[in-house]
Amino acid sequence: EDQVTQSPEALRLQEGESSSLNCSYTVSGLRGLFWYRQDPGKGPEFLFTLYSAGEEKEKERLKATLTKKESFLHITAPKPEDSATYLCAVQESGNQFYFGTGTSLTVIP
Amino acid sequence: ETGVTQTPRHLVMGMTNKKSLKCEQHLGHNAMYWYKQSAKKPLELMFVYNFKEQTENNSVPSRFSPECPNSSHLFLHLHTLQPEDSALYLCASSRALEGTQYFGPGTRLLVL
């Protein structure tokens, strides 16, 4: 069965303490892998789309990477404003989207 | 106004009420989606419209009724809901069925 698994479920970091979030997936034919940021009570905000293994994208303190079975969202020197839930989603060859349950990130000043 | 907008942002309704959620996208996209988000669960896709035509209905109960009058507007009509329907309802749009989806701010629904 197609699915997306994100880990850890929750992560607490000190400000400036770099870390990575994981998204592993099992789909039959990957069309794209998407990262979103979601603040409490708000809709997901688009961050990155990755299409093929080896691809990397960066935005400020965030860097997303993709392999054939997983993606990582690396957060370098995080700040308190990076606190949010980070969602991963994959689109398979039939255009169906599958979302993970997210990683709740808290950055402590 | 830009992006994807949703109204109302918050809604409290009794189980016998009828209400509607509205979504509007200003991105020139052709596909629109309704999702349900409950605590600790992945987003659940409810309905998909492509060029105003419904392409997917993920076994959603008939008390939820979608309507897509044009590519920019999407409605979700609610009738005789249950308390377990309380959730954040998200609208999204994309240029085509393949590709990045952009989300609205959501409607927080509470069914009493």
Side-chain angles (χ1 to χ4, degrees):
Chain A
E1 184 177 323
D2 293 344
Q3 63 177 9
V4 177
T5 304
Q6 291 189 247
S7 62
E9 188 175 318
L11 181 63
R12 289 173 64 89
L13 298 174
Q14 289 291 136
E15 184 172 0
E17 179 187 2
S18 301
S19 188
S20 297
L21 313 182
N22 178 264
C23 171
S24 62
Y25 61 92
T26 54
V27 295
S28 50
L30 179 72
R31 275 202 186 278
L33 184 139
F34 308 85
W35 282 100
Y36 292 87
R37 169 194 170 126
Q38 187 173 24
D39 292 298
K42 296 187 176 181
E45 175 190 343
F46 170 70
L47 293 174
F48 304 109
T49 304
L50 302 168
Y51 294 103
S52 57
E55 190 175 359
E56 299 183 353
K57 288 196 176 171
E58 285 187 71
K59 179 181 178 181
E60 296 180 354
R61 296 176 292 282
L62 301 177
K63 178 180 176 180
T65 61
L66 180 64
T67 71
K68 286 188 177 179
K69 291 297 179 188
E70 60 189 349
S71 176
F72 291 93
L73 184 64
H74 306 278
I75 303 176
T76 302
K79 297 182 177 181
E81 53 262 42
D82 295 322
S83 298
T85 295
Y86 290 86
L87 298 174
C88 171
V90 299
Q91 187 175 34
E92 50 86 33
S93 56
N95 288 331
Q96 180 71 274
F97 267 80
Y98 299 93
F99 280 83
T101 52
T103 293
S104 176
L105 173 67
T106 303
V107 182
I108 304 162
Chain B
E1 207 164 358
T2 59
V4 182
T5 58
Q6 290 186 243
T7 55
R9 294 294 312 280
H10 302 274
L11 179 61
V12 180
M13 58 187 290
M15 291 193 291
T16 58
N17 291 159
K18 288 184 181 181
K19 296 287 184 182
S20 295
L21 310 185
K22 178 183 175 182
C23 174
E24 183 174 359
Q25 60 94 1
H26 309 269
L27 300 170
H29 290 167
N30 297 307
M32 297 188 77
Y33 311 78
W34 280 118
Y35 285 89
K36 175 183 179 182
Q37 188 175 35
S38 304
K40 302 296 184 183
K41 290 185 177 180
L43 269 69
E44 299 173 46
L45 179 65
M46 300 175 72
F47 302 103
V48 181
Y49 278 82
N50 191 35
F51 289 97
K52 302 188 301 179
E53 298 297 321
Q54 186 173 315
T55 61
E56 196 150 346
N57 175 342
N58 277 0
S59 303
V60 180
S62 59
R63 57 186 183 270
F64 294 92
S65 174
E67 179 189 358
C68 188
N70 54 60
S71 292
S72 298
H73 294 86
L74 186 63
F75 295 89
L76 187 62
H77 304 297
L78 315 173
H79 174 54
T80 322
L81 294 192
Q82 305 298 310
E84 59 264 30
D85 296 322
S86 299
L88 182 68
Y89 288 84
L90 293 162
C91 174
S93 72
S94 61
R95 188 176 305 174
L97 288 178
E98 174 187 335
T100 304
Q101 294 182 13
Y102 294 86
F103 286 83
T107 295
R108 174 65 65 183
L109 173 66
L110 177 61
V111 182
L112 301 175

